[in-house]
Structure formats: C-alpha cells, structure tokens
Amino acid sequence: AQTVTQSQPEMSVQEAETVTLSCTYDTSESDYYLFWYKQPPSRQMILVIRQEAYKQQNATENRFSVNFQKAAKSFSLKISDSQLGDAAMYFCAYRSADAGGTSYGKLTFGQGTILTVHP
Amino acid sequence: DAMVIQNPRYQVTQFGKPVTLSCSQTLNHNVMYWYQQKSSQAPKLLFHYYDKDFNNEADTPDNFQSRRPNTSFCFLDIRSPGLGDAAMYLCATSRGWRAAGGRGYNEQFFGPGTRLTVL
C-alpha cells in the first residue's frame, strides 16, 4: 500500500515571500501521479498542480512549482510571491497509474500542511 | 458552471438516527467518490462508483452505504451514526478511464462538503 507523509503540520510565510511545503511518499510502483491540493477554510478542495512520475521535468503552474525527486520519493511544493489567498490547508496526494490495479483512481492523501500567510 | 454540489452543507443528527447526504454533478463524470475527513486530517476514501459499479474500501464500516440512482446523483447513507462519525464528508467526481484503455489522468473535482454533527 502507498503512504504519503507531510512532516510539516503548519507553515507560515510573509506576503510576497516564497515558501516550500514538503511531501514524501512510499510506493513500489514505477508509474503514478502526484498532486498538491488546496483546501481553503470552509471551501472546496481544488487541484493546484500535478506531476506524472514518468516525466522528469518538474511541473509548474504560475506561482506554483514542484521539486520532484523520484529516487528519493520526494515531492515538494514551492509557492512564490505568496498571496493572502494562498492561506489554506495543502494536501499532497498519490494516485496509481496502473489501470489494472484495484487501487486505480484512488487518491491517497498526506496529513496536510496548514499554510498561514502574513500581510 | 459545471460543478459538484453537496446538500446539505451542514447536517445535525442524533446518535443512531439514520442520515443521508446528497451529491450531484453536472460534469457528466463516470466516477463518483465519497471521502470522510475528520478535523485537521486527510480525506479518507470510503467508496466510489464507476458508473453503476460500486467499489467499497476494505476498511469502510458497514454502517456506511451508498446509492447512485443515475449518473448525476450519489447518496451517502449512514445507518446508525455514532459520535465517531462526526466529520466533513466530501464528494468528488472524475471522468472514467476504461474507454481510454486505462491510461490517462482524470482529475478529481470536489464538492464543498457536508459537515455532519452527531449529538
């Protein structure tokens, strides 16, 4: 079974600064997807960024980028030029890419990191 | 706008009194998921429907049932809620993967959740 670990229960950043959220995972699979989801207080969870394991290039979405280290099973999220609206719980998640597997389609989440942005 | 809708947003029930949570989607997605998220914890998948095929997670208690009468709607039934069932319940949807031969990324879209309180 896959596991996802976020070792930082809480992080804080000053507005306009950069912050990095950490995530590690454990799997025996070679093909999978990794995601970062954002869950603002009392609002729905939305996808921030995704990474396909077979792609070596790190994914980037505007101010959000990842550092994907497959051998180390590490997947960190960097938020540049932090904004007040970035304050939320951030979840790292894993999904198998093996369509024949019983767990295909299932997201396994980490425990989450609460990000506070100070003005 | 196409979306995932959950009703009600807040539900209060009594210990042991059956309760039903509702999810609807306008995305015409094949797959609908139910997650349980306890306070400050990661969402935990309870089960999912791929079209009419029901897929239960091995550790989902029998107390939790689900129905999907059509593509658009999915219900979560808690037959005898206990205090430990108080949580946020998240519904999510995604496109199916079988028609694409299994490969391919299918983003999960989440609803805003229903917060269940058990008295």
Side-chain angles (χ1 to χ4, degrees):
Chain A
Q2 296 80 25
T3 59
V4 178
T5 302
Q6 293 177 246
S7 59
Q8 306 155 316
E10 298 182 25
M11 291 285 284
S12 64
V13 64
Q14 291 293 130
E15 198 174 6
E17 298 294 310
T18 295
V19 65
T20 298
L21 309 184
S22 300
C23 173
T24 58
Y25 59 95
D26 189 26
T27 183
S28 58
E29 298 177 326
S30 59
D31 195 9
Y32 48 86
Y33 302 104
L34 295 166
F35 309 91
W36 280 98
Y37 279 88
K38 170 185 178 182
Q39 188 178 38
S42 301
R43 294 179 62 187
Q44 66 201 86
M45 193 174 311
I46 58 172
L47 180 66
V48 174
I49 197 166
R50 71 174 185 266
Q51 175 79 42
E52 295 171 77
Y54 69 89
K55 291 186 177 179
Q56 292 188 338
Q57 186 173 7
N58 290 323
T60 300
E61 289 287 342
N62 301 314
R63 298 183 294 107
F64 299 87
S65 61
V66 298
N67 184 4
F68 173 49
Q69 301 290 327
K70 191 172 183 179
K73 296 180 181 174
S74 169
F75 182 62
S76 61
L77 174 69
K78 184 172 81 171
I79 306 174
S80 304
D81 185 25
S82 297
Q83 301 175 358
L84 296 177
D86 295 333
M89 174 83 92
Y90 285 81
F91 289 99
C92 178
Y94 172 102
R95 178 181 173 180
S96 172
D98 176 13
T102 57
S103 63
Y104 191 74
K106 173 181 177 179
L107 285 174
T108 300
F109 288 90
Q111 294 299 100
T113 297
I114 299 173
L115 177 66
T116 303
V117 181
H118 299 289
Chain B
D1 288 341
M3 59 178 60
V4 182
I5 302 162
Q6 290 188 246
N7 286 307
R9 294 291 308 276
Y10 300 89
Q11 176 73 57
V12 180
T13 191
Q14 292 180 334
F15 183 94
K17 184 175 181 180
V19 66
T20 296
L21 309 182
S22 170
C23 177
S24 64
Q25 53 128 342
T26 60
L27 298 160
N28 202 32
H29 282 170
N30 299 90
V31 192
M32 295 187 78
Y33 307 82
W34 280 105
Y35 291 87
Q36 179 192 62
Q37 185 181 20
K38 295 189 175 180
S39 181
S40 300
Q41 295 185 21
K44 177 180 177 297
L45 182 65
L46 296 173
F47 26 58
H48 76 271
Y49 272 96
Y50 192 121
D51 294 325
K52 286 197 171 291
D53 294 337
F54 178 70
N55 299 270
N56 198 32
E57 292 299 300
D59 56 355
T60 297
D62 292 340
N63 197 27
F64 292 88
Q65 304 286 320
S66 187
R67 296 169 285 134
R68 189 178 186 187
N70 53 52
T71 299
S72 301
F73 284 86
C74 194
F75 301 98
L76 170 62
D77 300 309
I78 309 177
R79 295 191 297 185
S80 181
L83 298 179
D85 296 327
M88 177 75 84
Y89 289 88
L90 303 175
C91 176
T93 73
S94 75
R95 285 186 292 117
W97 47 84
R98 293 172 187 167
R103 197 59 175 91
Y105 164 69
N106 299 295
E107 178 181 347
Q108 287 192 25
F109 293 83
F110 285 83
T114 294
R115 183 166 296 284
L116 178 67
T117 300
V118 182
L119 301 177

